């Protein structure tokens, strides 16, 4: 990895260097085509910031949000070569569960997804619903305090909210209760009344604080939202069907995690979870509410996010364009987002980029600019035609592919990725190729190991996002696995552009 990093450093271009050295205390957004160096820029920017702003930006209080565990492993190998240690690198899901204090008994619901509702619950519109719901909850909470002088607590609460907006709700409630009881004792002392009910006051304060504590269970509070008239009843029914408890397990849908983190931040604030700097890679696949929760914990708006709209491969494709992201970021930070666009591909060869552009040029998002390959030539893209899908092939045909894989290493490859349509497809291909490990003379590694290793890595295209390999083989490219849909074209674009040097397509027909 050290030599590879030196190669990367030697190819850093002027535009990339400009982004690396961008000033701090403002959000930065990078749109970069596949192979444009987005991840390299993010990591080098971190290294630069830790050096140039060591007093205000510390490695041990920074955060990298990554798309999957294999990407985290890849980054973890690179960071030490940049002199970076102890940077917290997590998936959003792991980070979000940690914020909520959830253990492994909080589990994703196995129920089928509805992409309409999933997209809605990641939208700016739903973010506004959460704000309205929280304000309503806050008002009702104060109105129902079990105390005859609750109006004193409420009045003081809103005074503190206006005067000290950075105080979180929990602290504001505690201070308001203390103030109300202190005011009562002051009024009594002023009138000459001697209070003999001190212990009763302590007990009443405990009762009020216990009421607050019961009312702010995040999971229960979020569920109540879907029983209000703020939302479509069908959306409520869909969400509540999944939010259940069975034995030790508590279930939720993946798109409901970020809204619960958002509510948690509204109640408990961000004081203990604020980060000096946050980097988000593969940002095209996050939701607006995930983004909002990260903006909330980015100290002084210190946030850099990078992505590629053409590589959005996780439905429902929350981010259709970067303008919505810029608007949300500007609004929340009250600062102007610095936007950069990278079109040159430094990863792969002219032959592979030309091949991919020819296929996908009519499939890219509107206004999307095609990748431009740096003038580095290599082998032509190779198509291997088999009579059947690989899983149903004869031993003779399997050995043809095995020999092709072996040839990749004879040509100098260190990593060769066999990319599959999904996890089931990857499991099937792995079970076949593992038997030929000795013939290939390299380790055959399953995606389930979640580790970026040398050898033959067999993984779903989705889990190859953000990574690169010397050689890439797209397995079983046919109409059954890859119908003519938006998600198909996005997946194939991601898959083909993972290749550094060589790309091979294994297919039953010449449709592609």
């Amino acid at each position: 990895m050290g030599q590879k990093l030196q190669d990367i450093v030697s190819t850093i271009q002027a535009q990339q260097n400009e982004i690396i050295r961008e000033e701090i205390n403002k959000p930065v957004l990078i749109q970069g085509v596949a192979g444009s160096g987005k991840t390299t820029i993010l990591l080098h920017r971190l290294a630069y910031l830790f050096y140039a702003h060591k007093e205000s930006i510390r490695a041990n209080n920074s955060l990298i949000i990554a798309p999957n565990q294999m990407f985290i492993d890849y980054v973890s190998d690179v960071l030490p070569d940049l002199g970076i240690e102890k940077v917290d690198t997590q998936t959003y899901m792991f980070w979000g569960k940690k914020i909520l204090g959830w253990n492994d008994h909080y589990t994703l619901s196995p129920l089928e997804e509805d992409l309409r509702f999933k997209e809605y619950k990641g939208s700016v519109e739903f973010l506004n619903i959460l704000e309205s719901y929280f304000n309503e909850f806050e008002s009702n909470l104060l109105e129902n305090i079990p105390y005859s002088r609750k109006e004193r607590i409420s009045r003081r609460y809103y005074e503190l909210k206006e005067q000290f907006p950075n105080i979180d709700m929990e602290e504001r409630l505690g201070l308001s209760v203390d103030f109300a009881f202190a005011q009562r004792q002051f009024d009594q002392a002023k009138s000459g009344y001697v209070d003999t009910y001190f212990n009763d006051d302590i007990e009443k304060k405990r009762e009020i604080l216990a009421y607050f504590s019961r009312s702010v269970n995040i999971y229960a509070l979020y569920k109540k939202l879907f029983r209000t008239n703020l939302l479509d009843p069908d959306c409520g029914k869909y969400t509540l069907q999944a939010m259940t408890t069975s034995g030790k397990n508590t279930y939720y849908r993946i798109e409901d995690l970020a809204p619960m983190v958002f509510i948690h931040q509204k109640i408990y604030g961000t004081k203990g979870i604020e980060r000096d700097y946050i980097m988000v890679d593969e940002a095209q696949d996050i939701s607006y509410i995930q983004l909002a929760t990260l903006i909330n914990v980015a100290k002084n708006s210190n946030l850099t996010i990078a992505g590629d709209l053409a590589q959005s491969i996780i439905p429902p494709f929350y981010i259709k364009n970067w303008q919505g992201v810029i608007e949300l970021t500007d609004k929340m930070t009250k600062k102007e987002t610095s936007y950069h666009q990278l079109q040159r591909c430094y990863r792969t060869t002219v032959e592979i980029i030309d091949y991919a552009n020819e296929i996908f040029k009519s499939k890219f998002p509107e206004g999307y600019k095609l990748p431009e390959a740096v003038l580095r030539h290599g082998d032509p893209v190779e198509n291997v035609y088999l009579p059947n899908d690989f899983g149903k092939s004869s031993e003779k045909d399997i050995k043809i592919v095995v020999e092709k894989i072996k040839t990749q290493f004879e040509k100098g490859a260190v990593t060769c990725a066999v990319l599959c349509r999904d996890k089931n497809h990857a499991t099937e291909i792995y079970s076949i190729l593992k038997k030929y490990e000795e013939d290939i003379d390299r380790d055959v590694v399953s995606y389930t190991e979640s580790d970026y290793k040398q050898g033959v890595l067999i993984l779903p295209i989705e889990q190859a996002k953000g990574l690169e390999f010397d050689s890439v083989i797209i397995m079983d490219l046919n109409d059954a696995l890859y119908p003519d849909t938006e998600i198909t074209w996005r997946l194939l674009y991601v898959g083909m552009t993972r290749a550094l040097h060589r790309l091979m397509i294994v297919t039953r027909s010449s449709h592609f």
Side-chain angles (χ1 to χ4, degrees), residues 35-199:
S36 58
K38 295 183 295 296
T39 302
T40 297
I41 290 169
L42 290 182
L43 299 183
H44 279 76
R45 177 159 171 74
L46 269 184
Y48 170 75
L49 294 175
F50 295 155
Y51 173 77
H53 303 279
K54 58 175 69 75
E55 299 302 321
S56 57
I57 300 177
R58 299 157 295 168
N60 62 5
N61 194 45
S62 295
L63 173 68
I64 299 173
I65 293 294
N68 54 55
Q69 187 57 46
M70 188 171 284
F71 185 92
I72 290 173
D73 184 65
Y74 170 77
V75 167
S76 297
D77 283 344
V78 172
L79 288 175
D81 289 324
L82 287 167
I84 301 175
E85 303 287 347
K86 299 179 180 178
V87 176
D88 193 11
T89 306
Q90 301 182 35
T91 62
Y92 183 88
M93 182 177 172
F94 188 89
W95 176 78
K97 289 181 70 173
K98 188 176 179 181
I99 295 297
L100 294 171
W102 287 2
N103 58 26
D104 291 339
H105 292 303
Y106 285 85
T107 307
L108 288 177
S109 170
L111 297 181
E112 188 175 351
E113 291 183 334
D114 186 316
L115 294 181
R116 293 173 303 148
F117 297 133
K118 184 176 182 180
E119 181 174 10
Y120 177 71
K121 289 190 286 182
S123 67
V124 173
E125 182 181 350
F126 190 64
L127 186 63
N128 294 332
I129 291 288
L130 289 174
E131 289 280 8
S132 298
Y133 176 62
F134 177 78
N135 291 336
E136 188 178 298
F137 158 73
E138 186 179 48
S139 177
N140 290 335
L141 181 72
L142 294 168
E143 286 177 12
N144 292 293
I145 295 172
Y147 183 48
S148 59
R149 294 176 176 82
K150 60 186 177 184
E151 71 284 347
R152 285 188 175 183
I153 297 176
S154 181
R155 186 168 59 250
R156 183 57 178 165
Y157 177 90
Y158 284 115
E159 287 173 354
L160 288 172
K161 187 174 183 179
E162 183 176 351
Q163 294 170 13
F164 306 100
N166 291 330
I167 296 179
D168 61 69
M169 180 185 186
E170 183 184 42
E171 184 177 358
R172 201 155 49 231
L173 287 169
L175 289 171
S176 301
V177 171
D178 288 341
F179 175 84
F181 278 88
Q183 187 69 49
R184 174 176 175 269
Q185 291 167 5
F186 176 78
D187 290 344
Q188 289 174 345
K190 194 174 179 182
S191 64
Y193 175 78
V194 178
D195 189 357
T196 59
Y197 299 100
F198 180 73
N199 289 334

Side-chain angles (χ1 to χ4, degrees), residues 141-340:
L141 181 72
L142 294 168
E143 286 177 12
N144 292 293
I145 295 172
Y147 183 48
S148 59
R149 294 176 176 82
K150 60 186 177 184
E151 71 284 347
R152 285 188 175 183
I153 297 176
S154 181
R155 186 168 59 250
R156 183 57 178 165
Y157 177 90
Y158 284 115
E159 287 173 354
L160 288 172
K161 187 174 183 179
E162 183 176 351
Q163 294 170 13
F164 306 100
N166 291 330
I167 296 179
D168 61 69
M169 180 185 186
E170 183 184 42
E171 184 177 358
R172 201 155 49 231
L173 287 169
L175 289 171
S176 301
V177 171
D178 288 341
F179 175 84
F181 278 88
Q183 187 69 49
R184 174 176 175 269
Q185 291 167 5
F186 176 78
D187 290 344
Q188 289 174 345
K190 194 174 179 182
S191 64
Y193 175 78
V194 178
D195 189 357
T196 59
Y197 299 100
F198 180 73
N199 289 334
D200 290 346
D201 279 1
I202 292 176
E203 189 57 39
K204 175 54 73 172
K205 285 174 71 173
R206 285 176 179 163
E207 181 187 345
I208 295 171
L209 294 175
Y211 158 73
F212 289 155
S213 183
R214 288 193 308 273
S215 302
V216 295
N217 178 287
I218 302 298
Y219 186 86
L221 181 59
Y222 182 67
K223 283 181 71 173
K224 287 179 183 178
L225 166 62
F226 295 92
R227 298 189 180 100
T228 70
N229 60 6
L230 292 172
L231 296 168
D232 181 335
D234 289 339
C235 182
K237 180 180 178 182
Y238 166 78
T239 304
L240 292 173
Q241 281 176 340
M243 295 192 73
T244 59
T245 300
S246 177
K248 292 183 178 180
N249 291 330
T250 299
Y251 295 95
Y252 65 99
R253 294 189 187 276
I254 185 64
E255 70 270 18
D256 293 314
L257 179 62
M260 285 188 274
V261 172
F262 183 80
I263 291 174
H264 185 280
Q265 292 174 343
K266 295 290 287 185
I267 293 172
Y268 297 105
T270 60
K271 199 178 299 179
I273 57 174
E274 199 173 47
R275 300 300 186 110
D276 293 345
Y277 212 96
I278 295 177
M279 296 283 190
V280 185
D281 206 352
E282 302 298 330
Q284 72 277 354
D285 282 318
I286 68 172
S287 75
Y288 284 98
I289 299 183
Q290 286 177 317
L291 177 60
T293 61
L294 293 168
I295 293 171
N296 279 338
V297 298
K299 187 176 180 180
N300 299 324
S301 310
N302 277 325
L303 173 77
T304 296
I305 66 176
D308 179 15
L309 294 177
Q311 295 185 66
S312 181
I313 58 174
I314 302 177
F317 314 131
Y318 295 108
I319 297 174
K320 305 295 191 296
N321 58 69
W322 292 120
Q323 187 56 40
V325 171
I326 292 171
E327 289 173 2
L328 178 63
T329 306
D330 288 359
K331 179 182 178 182
M332 291 187 66
T333 64
K334 297 180 174 58
K335 296 179 181 178
E336 185 175 345
T337 300
S338 179
Y339 177 73
H340 300 268

